[in-house]
Amino acid sequence: MLLFLSKLLAVIFYPVGFSFFLIAIAIAFRALGRKRTALVCLSLSIALLWFFSTPVVSYVLVRSLESKYPQPAHVPKASAIVLLGGFTRPALPPRRDIEIGLFGDRILYAVRLFKEGKAPSIVCTGGKIPFLLDFPGTEASSMAHLLKESWGIDSSSIIVEDKAQNTHDHGPRVRAIFEQRGMKKDIILVTSAMHMHRSVKVFKKYGFNVIPASADFWCEAKSPLKVFSLLPSADALFASTTALHEYYGLLAYWIMGWL
């Protein structure tokens, strides 16, 4: 129930969801004859969408997260590479095979680090949320399949954790695997740069020595201000929403005592 509520509330407080909420309030006030209040709510809705749809705003939001853990020039060796899920697309029609979707740079970077001998194994962690998308297997099993079939990594070097349903779940479930196998809890953590800040906090909370290895950067270090930076863009709105998802997650995890 907590997982369902977290997904539902997050949608409401994203820019698009909150804008529609304001529009609904505007319609209600208009029906009650309060035209001025309705106009204010409608104007706020438009302003909110415009604000978060501008590239300059999305850039600030995204860079504020990505800049915390830039990609390291040198990655030291560790007990394992922990690869966080959230980037595969299951083999559901019309797809015949598992595909790599958004945030897929994670697996490319994890493979590169493994091939460089940075760790003897890759931990694939990620389950599935059936009420959002149900499919055969799990995120982790899909990741393991790609590692074996696309990059030829032996099964003995892949550890699958297929129960985690959110970022917090990765910490205790991966720790349980490490303790069961007697592995030293120093890891190279691979996830998207925007997601790294929250992920590092979670894994440190569960006693891991974390080497952040960020991938999937959405913004360059410097982005010159241009005319189009102030004009609405669907890509910018999506980037803003993704960044807000991380900030909401940080706030929620702090409230829950998970950080």
Side-chain angles (χ1 to χ4, degrees), residues 90-113:
L92 295 175
R95 290 185 293 274
R96 293 184 178 274
D97 299 298
I98 297 168
E99 296 182 358
I100 298 174
L102 196 62
F103 314 122
D105 286 344
R106 299 179 187 183
I107 194 169
L108 300 178
Y109 193 32
V111 169
R112 189 171 80 188
L113 292 172

Side-chain angles (χ1 to χ4, degrees), residues 175-212:
R175 182 181 66 176
I177 290 175
F178 272 58
E179 292 176 347
Q180 182 182 23
R181 293 171 175 250
M183 298 170 64
K184 186 179 179 181
K185 287 189 284 187
D186 59 321
I187 61 171
I188 299 170
L189 183 61
V190 179
T191 188
S192 298
M194 244 193 296
H195 187 228
M196 185 61 79
H197 183 50
R198 182 159 53 117
S199 302
V200 167
K201 285 181 173 292
V202 167
F203 277 90
K204 284 186 175 180
K205 178 79 172 181
Y206 285 93
F208 286 92
N209 176 33
V210 181
I211 302 167

Side-chain angles (χ1 to χ4, degrees), residues 18-52:
F18 198 67
S19 293
F20 274 96
F21 176 69
L22 288 173
I23 291 172
I25 293 177
I27 292 172
F29 277 123
R30 181 65 180 82
L32 294 172
R34 300 178 60 177
K35 296 181 180 180
R36 180 172 297 180
T37 305
L39 181 60
V40 169
C41 290
L42 184 61
S43 299
L44 284 174
S45 172
I46 296 171
L48 181 71
L49 270 183
W50 186 291
F51 181 77
F52 286 108

Side-chain angles (χ1 to χ4, degrees), residues 83-90 98-108 110 124-125 139-140 142-144 146-147 151 190-192 216:
L83 174 61
L84 303 191
F87 58 83
T88 65
R89 294 183 177 182
I98 297 168
E99 296 182 358
I100 298 174
L102 196 62
F103 314 122
D105 286 344
R106 299 179 187 183
I107 194 169
L108 300 178
C124 300
T125 171
E139 175 81 17
S142 297
M143 293 154 63
L146 288 170
L147 290 173
W151 287 282
V190 179
T191 188
S192 298
D216 185 42

Side-chain angles (χ1 to χ4, degrees), residues 110-145:
V111 169
R112 189 171 80 188
L113 292 172
F114 179 79
K115 297 286 188 180
E116 291 174 355
K118 300 300 182 180
S121 58
I122 299 178
V123 179
C124 300
T125 171
K128 64 181 175 182
I129 304 176
F131 66 78
L132 292 180
L133 179 64
D134 200 2
F135 55 91
T138 61
E139 175 81 17
S141 63
S142 297
M143 293 154 63
H145 174 83

Side-chain angles (χ1 to χ4, degrees), residues 5 10 17 22 40 55-56 69 76 119 180 204 224 227-228:
L5 288 175
L22 288 173
V40 169
V56 65
Y69 290 101
Q180 182 182 23
K204 284 186 175 180
V227 173
F228 286 98

